[in-house]
Amino acid sequence: MQAKSLQWAPSPGLRVGVETSSLSQLAVLNLPGGASVNGLKARGLFVVKAMEVEGSRTASLKGHAGNKNGSLLSSVGNSTNIKWHECSLNKTDRQKLLKQKGCVIWITGLSGSGKSTVACALGGSLYHRGKLSYILDGDNVRHGLNCDLSFKAEDRAENIRRIGEVAKLFADAGVICIASVVSPYRRDRDACRAMLPAGDFVEVFMDVPLQVCEARDPKGLYKLARAGKIEGFTGVDDPYEQPLDCEIVLSHKGGACPSPCEMAEEVVSYLEDQGFLQA
Amino acid sequence: MQAKSLQWAPSPGLRVGVETSSLSQLAVLNLPGGASVNGLKARGLFVVKAMEVEGSRTASLKGHAGNKNGSLLSSVGNSTNIKWHECSLNKTDRQKLLKQKGCVIWITGLSGSGKSTVACALGGSLYHRGKLSYILDGDNVRHGLNCDLSFKAEDRAENIRRIGEVAKLFADAGVICIASVVSPYRRDRDACRAMLPAGDFVEVFMDVPLQVCEARDPKGLYKLARAGKIEGFTGVDDPYEQPLDCEIVLSHKGGACPSPCEMAEEVVSYLEDQGFLQA
């Protein structure tokens, strides 16, 4: 975290600005041709992560390019000192620390299909391999972050969006984030997938027949829905849209469900194959 | 994660139910006097974390007690099989894995006071000690999770509430979560503090005079606010309520500001003293 320094004579057209990305604060520094960075000639746009900018000669500027490790301090006269403090820590660094890759395991399926059970078994299995995971449970998040949301259509979509956004933050932190949510609509799940880099969203479909889920009815919700006491209940009077092309399907085969541990191991194998269990 | 089993003859008044807490799914099992768990006599309420419940004899029941390590499988006739899969992983386990304690470092202060800079320096310093931290930056979160929020009063409060809730999830995951947000109102910060166990919310006040922040004006926002182009800007036409009793004050002393690294080290020392840097 030691700051390096840069001195250069700015051209009249020099523009320096700050912009933010969705995950880290960026500063964009447009170096005129002939400017030198740490003794090397440099030209073009440089992105420097989260720094302090002192002085008022800031203007908006969009663009990005290399210089991941650059840390700049420039002196453009006394009144326009610009001090850049590098914050080079990123997802890759955190992954190295954790010896794993951050990602989102999105477990979708009907109420009673065993999402939470598999999520827990998966968390345990990863833990025993020394891997850090964290479960975002749809029900539990509704007690905290999403306590302001109802079950009407737009709030259900917002519920999923927020879980997706939080899962993305956890993945960026290097954590294997396990989201366990009914998430009945394809478009909502796909929107969460789109938040992440390709491959980092692992959709797991709990393929368990409605009758089986309803027979289990762990929370007594199907009973309430059938009695008309819950409206818009997925599988009863609201549709569940099965994934068309998800990464993993955990199936209830011929009436016998694999054990949660077996299902969790299927996901772990996938993660291992895809290189998520190493940095 | 190996399931243990329990068999018992239910009393007529036996009630089994599932409830959720804000962070983990719980099942509450009311054992009648004389029931035996793993060969031991047991009586009263048991809490078993996130399990699968098969069968329909579920009813709501509130209460909680010990049995952190219990994992139960009961057979109450064919139609009411209840299978409990333990998910004993909790914050303590994750902390052991990470060799640190999850908490929230809440950095508050005016725009331009150096919150992001200190957050980054702190993240770097912790990283070099092998500790996992993650920065929630107010600006950045507004591009993702809170992109639906405006800057009107109720939305600013909601912005802080959500950041607090997410920070709480990160702390529960065992991560040292660094929130870097202006968070001008005491009541909003206190509400976030109240979400966490006592001691786990570390409020850090960037005590930098308005004039200094305004002279820096890293994003050009003070200029816009003074020109009337931003309304309700903290420090200009909206108040900043200083913490009355926060854990750490990082002061701009006599015109000279300590370096970001020095300020970060002050926070690290506090975390070390409070035992957060070990499990």
Side-chain angles (χ1 to χ4, degrees):
Chain A
M1 298 301 295
Q2 207 59 36
K4 298 166 190 170
S5 69
L6 162 75
Q7 304 276 341
W8 87 90
S11 73
L14 177 67
R15 295 191 303 166
V16 176
V18 178
E19 62 173 21
T20 55
S21 76
S22 64
L23 286 175
S24 60
Q25 198 156 19
L26 300 178
V28 178
L29 175 60
N30 193 357
L31 292 182
S36 94
V37 182
N38 298 331
L40 296 170
K41 285 279 179 194
R43 183 191 185 93
L45 296 185
F46 285 77
V47 176
V48 186
K49 287 197 180 167
M51 68 296 88
E52 187 184 20
V53 178
E54 289 182 347
S56 59
R57 199 186 278 197
T58 56
S60 67
L61 176 73
K62 297 231 170 199
H64 36 83
N67 198 25
K68 194 186 148 209
N69 298 314
S71 174
L72 313 172
L73 174 71
S74 80
S75 176
V76 190
N78 285 333
S79 62
T80 55
N81 270 356
I82 302 168
K83 206 162 137 200
W84 308 82
H85 291 287
E86 186 188 81
C87 179
S88 68
L89 264 196
N90 58 25
K91 185 180 179 184
T92 307
D93 299 310
R94 291 184 285 270
Q95 293 183 150
K96 272 184 202 156
L97 184 68
L98 293 171
K99 299 184 179 65
Q100 65 184 44
K101 289 196 187 81
C103 59
V104 174
I105 316 295
W106 191 278
I107 308 181
T108 173
L110 292 167
S111 177
S113 60
K115 296 182 296 300
S116 297
T117 310
V118 168
C120 286
L122 176 57
S125 177
L126 290 169
Y127 185 78
H128 290 298
R129 283 170 168 81
K131 304 303 170 191
L132 180 68
S133 68
Y134 190 67
I135 296 172
L136 292 178
D137 182 285
D139 285 344
N140 299 342
V141 170
R142 277 195 175 269
H143 287 266
L145 177 66
N146 294 352
C147 67
D148 56 322
L149 300 176
S150 74
F151 283 88
K152 64 185 180 187
E154 62 265 41
D155 278 7
R156 294 186 75 163
E158 173 64 6
N159 179 50
I160 301 302
R161 185 192 73 82
R162 288 192 204 165
I163 293 173
E165 290 284 2
V166 174
K168 172 184 159 182
L169 294 172
F170 270 99
D172 186 56
V175 178
I176 297 172
C177 184
I178 306 167
S180 162
V181 263
V182 176
S183 50
Y185 304 127
R186 227 171 266 139
R187 65 162 186 274
D188 294 337
R189 296 193 303 264
D190 287 349
C192 293
R193 177 186 290 273
M195 292 175 191
L196 286 139
D200 286 5
F201 185 89
V202 180
E203 194 171 351
V204 179
F205 171 43
M206 299 298 298
D207 186 14
V208 181
L210 174 64
Q211 310 86 280
V212 175
C213 297
E214 191 163 354
R216 292 175 178 170
D217 204 9
K219 301 170 193 167
L221 298 174
Y222 284 100
K223 207 176 162 187
L224 291 170
R226 294 289 179 198
K229 289 172 183 165
I230 302 176
E231 277 180 30
F233 192 73
T234 301
V236 176
D237 56 347
D238 213 60
Y240 177 82
E241 299 173 356
Q242 296 199 3
L244 297 177
D245 188 23
C246 66
E247 281 74 10
I248 300 170
V249 179
L250 297 177
S251 290
H252 187 276
K253 291 157 195 154
C257 211
S259 78
C261 286
E262 286 170 312
M263 291 190 280
E265 287 315 306
E266 206 169 315
V267 180
V268 170
S269 292
Y270 178 88
L271 294 177
E272 204 146 42
D273 290 348
Q274 299 292 315
F276 285 107
L277 304 189
Q278 56 191 48
Chain B
M1 299 303 292
Q2 207 58 36
K4 296 167 191 168
S5 70
L6 161 74
Q7 305 275 342
W8 85 89
S11 73
L14 177 68
R15 295 192 303 166
V16 176
V18 179
E19 62 174 19
T20 57
S21 77
S22 64
L23 286 175
S24 60
Q25 196 155 21
L26 300 178
V28 178
L29 175 60
N30 193 358
L31 292 182
S36 96
V37 182
N38 297 332
L40 294 170
K41 285 280 175 189
R43 183 191 185 96
L45 296 184
F46 287 78
V47 176
V48 187
K49 287 195 179 169
M51 67 297 84
E52 186 183 21
V53 179
E54 290 183 346
S56 59
R57 199 187 276 195
T58 57
S60 68
L61 176 74
K62 297 227 169 199
H64 37 80
N67 198 24
K68 193 185 151 210
N69 299 314
S71 176
L72 313 173
L73 174 71
S74 80
S75 176
V76 190
N78 285 333
S79 62
T80 55
N81 270 356
I82 302 168
K83 206 161 137 200
W84 308 82
H85 290 286
E86 185 188 81
C87 180
S88 67
L89 267 195
N90 57 24
K91 185 180 180 185
T92 307
D93 299 310
R94 289 183 286 268
Q95 293 183 150
K96 272 185 203 157
L97 184 68
L98 293 171
K99 298 184 179 65
Q100 65 184 45
K101 289 195 187 80
C103 61
V104 175
I105 316 296
W106 191 278
I107 308 181
T108 172
L110 292 168
S111 177
S113 61
K115 298 182 298 299
S116 296
T117 312
V118 169
C120 286
L122 176 57
S125 178
L126 289 170
Y127 184 79
H128 289 298
R129 284 170 170 80
K131 305 303 172 190
L132 180 69
S133 68
Y134 190 68
I135 297 173
L136 292 178
D137 183 284
D139 286 344
N140 298 342
V141 170
R142 276 194 176 270
H143 287 266
L145 178 65
N146 294 351
C147 66
D148 56 322
L149 300 176
S150 75
F151 282 87
K152 64 184 180 188
E154 62 264 39
D155 278 5
R156 292 185 76 162
E158 172 65 6
N159 179 49
I160 301 303
R161 185 191 73 81
R162 287 192 204 164
I163 293 173
E165 290 284 3
V166 174
K168 173 183 159 184
L169 293 173
F170 271 99
D172 186 56
V175 178
I176 297 172
C177 183
I178 306 167
S180 164
V181 263
V182 177
S183 51
Y185 303 128
R186 226 171 267 139
R187 65 161 184 276
D188 294 337
R189 297 192 302 265
D190 288 348
C192 293
R193 178 187 289 275
M195 292 175 192
L196 285 139
D200 286 5
F201 185 89
V202 180
E203 195 172 351
V204 179
F205 172 42
M206 299 299 298
D207 187 13
V208 181
L210 175 64
Q211 311 87 277
V212 175
C213 298
E214 192 163 354
R216 292 176 179 170
D217 203 8
K219 300 171 196 167
L221 297 174
Y222 285 100
K223 208 176 163 190
L224 291 171
R226 294 289 179 198
K229 289 176 186 163
I230 302 176
E231 277 181 28
F233 192 73
T234 301
V236 176
D237 56 349
D238 212 60
Y240 177 81
E241 299 173 355
Q242 296 198 2
L244 297 176
D245 187 24
C246 66
E247 281 74 10
I248 300 171
V249 179
L250 297 177
S251 289
H252 187 276
K253 292 157 193 153
C257 210
S259 78
C261 284
E262 285 170 314
M263 292 190 278
E265 286 316 307
E266 208 169 310
V267 180
V268 170
S269 291
Y270 179 89
L271 294 177
E272 204 146 41
D273 290 348
Q274 300 293 315
F276 284 108
L277 304 189
Q278 54 192 49

